[in-house]
Amino acid sequence: MTLRTGIVLATLALVPLAACSGGAAATSAAPAPASSSAAAPAPSASATGAASPSGSSQSYTMADVAKHNSQTDCWAAIDGDVYDLTQWISRHPGGPDKIIGLCGTDATSAFHNQHDDQARPNEQLASFKVGTLTD
């Protein structure tokens, strides 16, 4: 082995597994934000106002959330916010069934029972927010 090869191998050994594509840790990494070409969820008739560039969001009722109750269209309310979990179903480290059962529901208790105040699940969840829950 040449000195150059040894340096390259030593450098690669220092790269975290999550940084490597296809590694085991890469599959549970935080989700990438949706691309600008992806269609945003359409607000329902009860939604109020349009999202502003400052980050404010749409408002939805539980009836709105309940309409998104399938594996191909999955929303859940958690702590007064509404999340589109459709893309997360197949990527959830605990398996898709853990998310599918929450589609169209207020999943606050289920989320807190499983993740409580863990930073990573809360950060991942925040990336799926589509609005706030109203009465």
Side-chain angles (χ1 to χ4, degrees):
M1 170 169 38
T2 67
L3 178 60
R4 177 183 285 182
T5 304
I7 292 171
V8 169
L9 291 175
T11 303
L12 287 174
L14 297 175
V15 175
L17 183 59
C20 301
S21 64
T27 60
S28 62
S35 69
S36 59
S37 63
S44 69
S46 64
T48 59
S52 73
S54 65
S56 65
S57 58
Q58 299 287 330
S59 295
Y60 301 96
T61 65
M62 269 313 299
D64 295 325
V65 173
K67 294 175 188 174
H68 302 270
N69 60 4
S70 71
Q71 185 171 350
T72 58
D73 181 19
C74 178
W75 286 16
I78 300 172
D79 288 328
D81 290 316
V82 178
Y83 301 91
D84 181 346
L85 303 177
T86 309
Q87 298 304 312
W88 183 240
I89 291 173
S90 63
R91 298 167 54 198
H92 185 259
D97 292 342
K98 301 291 184 185
I99 304 300
I100 293 169
L102 304 176
C103 298
T105 71
D106 184 328
T108 300
S109 293
F111 182 81
H112 287 295
N113 287 340
Q114 186 64 37
H115 299 296
D116 197 28
D117 60 354
Q118 296 171 340
R120 187 172 183 177
N122 279 282
E123 291 167 6
Q124 291 171 324
L125 179 64
S127 71
F128 297 112
K129 184 177 175 182
V130 295
T132 58
L133 192 61
T134 61
D135 295 331

